[in-house]
Amino acid sequence: MLVDPGEPPTLDAREIDDPHSPKFDALAREILGQQGCGHLVFIDNVAAHVWIKMVLVEAGIPEARIAILNAEAAPGGDDRLRIANEFNGQPLMVNGSPVADLSQAGPDDVITEPAPPKYDVLIANAVAYEGIDLQTRTCQIHHIDLPYEPATLQQRNGRAVRQGNRVAELPIKYYLARKGLDGFRFNLIGGKLGWMNDLIAGTARATNNPGAQETGSLDDMLIELSRNPSLTAELQRAQREQRLEEARRKAAKAAAATLRAAAARFETARKAQDAVRAASLRAEGERLLRRSTTSIPSPGPGWAGPARPASGRCWCRRAVGLLSTRASASPSPDPEDPAQTKHLEFGRAGWDGIGQRRTGSVVWVLRNAEEITQLKLQPQAADAAAASWPNEDAALNTSMAERVRMLFAGPDAWTSLGWQHAPAAFVEQMWARYGTKILARMEDSP
């Protein structure tokens, strides 16, 4: 064979030294175990068609009884129909319809003589997925590889699982390699198919397909391919913990959002002049509070989990009283200034805590459930704060000047302000007063 020295040589599939693989050898054993009928073998790779045929011939199956159905072996529709007929065998036919005998055939009828099946094994790919009937004598279907879609798998099986098959049972066999992605793909197809069946039956409540979301992360695939059992177990354990943590975070964020909504209802009710409207808002707040009680994750590292009292609703009520409001914790002294009564403002709530600042400071810190619980605040703390909140303009100017001095240009500038856990109203107020100085400082920073 002459080869252009500038191009790499093309290796013919027949030139391989060893065509064997565990899947191909298992297929040969299955076919040898049930001879005298038709075996339909599906695999997309064209080179694998040649290798499977080589393995089957070596196992003792006559080469003349094996056919290949792909675009190379059967480029046209007539070729594909001919191979299908030779696999099925040709019954006695009158005018194109099969008959048991010629007793009712007329002199002008077209008679097609019967022909025995020529092939016992048909190795095929996507060329055979549609438009070809192979059910007549197929006794087993073998899937050496797997598609990603259940519809494609149904197309494969539909070549033989249809009316006209002569066998009482038609086994469908899937060949899954150890330490490979076959099992992963098989479960993926099963997840998609189950969701589709539920959707058609009207039992699927979600429009998103959970199986379709499982495209498989790199970690999933590495676990499937790992040849180290202990490493595989450790990876799987870590992955389970990660998924649990993500679920807890998601649930806790949802609970925090519900708490903020409940807090808004109670705060509006407290300020409402209309008693009927105030009662309606409080009732809605109570309903949101009950929902939040059931949705806070526990046990686990959720912001309401570790220090939550026996009554989740009790903790929710305490948290609701702190959201986006001020509270005076008198007579508890401020640990940073024992001579000063503690005046605190609470802001954004998240899965891991609530933002809080003390009077005179522009810095918001994150307080977890245990720290908030230790304050022992009561609902009347908000009313006390409204009456006794000191004038903090001078202190805020001093605190803000210190923060501006510490600012530097870059993506971490906002973090250094200490406003990540502040409520929107505070940020808007501070930006209106100090925004120009903050931008000027960032521009001057190296």
Side-chain angles (χ1 to χ4, degrees):
M1 179 175 64
L2 297 178
V3 179
D4 186 340
E7 297 182 0
T10 301
L11 181 66
D12 189 279
R14 298 172 182 80
E15 298 176 11
I16 192 170
D17 294 331
D18 183 6
H20 289 269
S21 80
K23 286 187 179 183
F24 298 168
D25 293 338
L27 173 67
R29 291 192 295 270
E30 290 293 329
I31 293 177
L32 287 173
Q34 188 173 358
Q35 300 186 55
C37 59
H39 291 265
L40 188 52
V41 180
F42 284 108
I43 184 169
D44 282 336
N45 188 283
V46 175
H49 293 184
V50 176
W51 300 332
I52 289 175
K53 185 173 182 179
M54 294 169 67
V55 171
L56 295 181
V57 171
E58 184 179 328
I61 300 171
E63 183 175 1
R65 304 295 296 177
I66 303 172
I68 292 177
L69 184 54
N70 56 38
E72 181 180 339
D78 292 340
D79 297 320
R80 297 167 191 178
L81 183 59
R82 172 184 55 80
I83 293 175
N85 289 335
E86 290 173 343
F87 176 75
N88 288 324
Q90 185 69 51
L92 177 64
M93 302 182 72
V94 175
N95 297 328
S97 300
V99 297
D101 54 55
L102 299 176
S103 58
Q104 297 184 1
D108 297 328
D109 290 334
V110 178
I111 299 174
T112 304
E113 295 294 331
K118 184 177 180 180
Y119 303 116
D120 293 326
V121 179
L122 180 58
I123 306 168
N125 62 5
V127 167
Y129 289 179
E130 295 181 353
I132 295 178
D133 296 335
L134 302 167
Q135 75 273 20
T136 304
R137 59 188 296 269
T138 298
C139 60
Q140 286 191 23
I141 300 175
H142 308 267
H143 295 281
I144 306 302
D145 66 1
L146 289 169
Y148 278 103
E149 297 296 330
T152 304
L153 192 60
Q154 288 173 333
Q155 282 182 318
R156 285 184 176 188
N157 293 333
R159 297 311 93 215
V161 182
R162 59 196 306 132
Q163 187 175 1
N165 196 295
R166 299 173 184 173
V167 298
E169 294 183 356
L170 179 56
I172 300 174
K173 300 190 175 181
Y174 302 93
Y175 294 74
L176 310 180
R178 291 188 178 92
K179 306 303 179 185
L181 296 178
D182 290 333
F184 178 80
R185 191 180 298 188
F186 187 80
N187 290 334
L188 177 64
I189 295 172
K192 290 182 178 181
L193 184 59
W195 173 82
M196 289 169 61
N197 290 338
D198 288 343
L199 188 64
I200 292 171
T203 58
R205 295 185 179 273
T207 57
N208 61 312
N209 177 353
Q213 312 298 330
E214 298 292 335
T215 54
S217 67
L218 179 60
D219 287 340
D220 291 328
M221 295 185 180
L222 287 175
I223 289 173
E224 290 290 337
L225 294 172
S226 173
R227 296 182 182 276
N228 185 326
S230 60
L231 175 61
T232 299
E234 178 61 24
L235 287 172
Q236 290 174 331
R237 183 194 62 77
Q239 196 171 72
R240 283 194 298 269
E241 290 181 356
Q242 180 181 358
R243 288 171 178 165
L244 273 174
E245 177 63 18
E246 289 175 355
R248 291 191 189 104
R249 285 173 178 264
K250 184 176 180 180
K253 286 180 179 180
T258 305
L259 282 177
R260 286 193 291 270
R265 304 302 193 279
F266 286 121
E267 183 67 13
T268 306
R270 189 173 65 85
K271 299 176 181 178
Q273 300 297 322
D274 186 344
V276 175
R277 173 167 169 74
S280 175
L281 287 168
R282 279 192 292 269
E284 189 174 353
E286 289 287 352
R287 179 180 61 80
L288 290 170
L289 203 58
R290 286 192 296 271
R291 181 195 304 175
S292 184
T293 302
T294 60
S295 60
I296 292 178
S298 181
W303 65 272
R308 186 176 62 188
S311 169
R313 193 158 174 237
C314 173
W315 162 247
C316 289
R317 268 205 167 282
R318 182 176 293 116
V320 164
L322 300 178
L323 294 176
S324 301
T325 189
R326 293 174 174 178
S328 294
S330 179
S332 300
D334 187 330
E336 299 179 24
D337 187 357
Q340 183 185 100
T341 300
K342 182 181 296 184
H343 292 83
L344 305 174
E345 184 173 7
F346 297 90
R348 290 183 180 274
W351 77 272
D352 50 354
I354 300 175
Q356 173 246 301
R357 76 173 185 93
R358 60 185 178 85
T359 183
S361 174
V362 297
V363 179
W364 290 79
V365 295
L366 190 67
R367 299 302 187 192
N368 61 30
E370 183 176 0
E371 292 171 322
I372 296 298
T373 301
Q374 289 174 354
L375 294 174
K376 299 180 180 179
L377 296 174
Q378 300 299 322
Q380 58 268 29
D383 296 328
S388 62
W389 196 266
N391 187 319
E392 53 178 338
D393 287 346
L396 287 177
N397 286 333
T398 302
S399 179
M400 195 68 236
E402 178 66 16
R403 302 312 297 180
V404 170
R405 186 182 64 81
M406 297 172 59
L407 281 180
F408 54 91
D412 295 328
W414 177 256
T415 304
S416 63
L417 279 173
W419 292 353
Q420 303 95 300
H421 308 293
F426 178 88
V427 175
E428 291 173 3
Q429 178 187 4
M430 292 297 104
W431 190 259
R433 293 173 61 177
Y434 304 106
T436 302
K437 294 181 179 180
I438 293 172
L439 292 175
R441 173 59 181 167
M442 290 178 64
E443 291 175 356
D444 294 339
S445 298

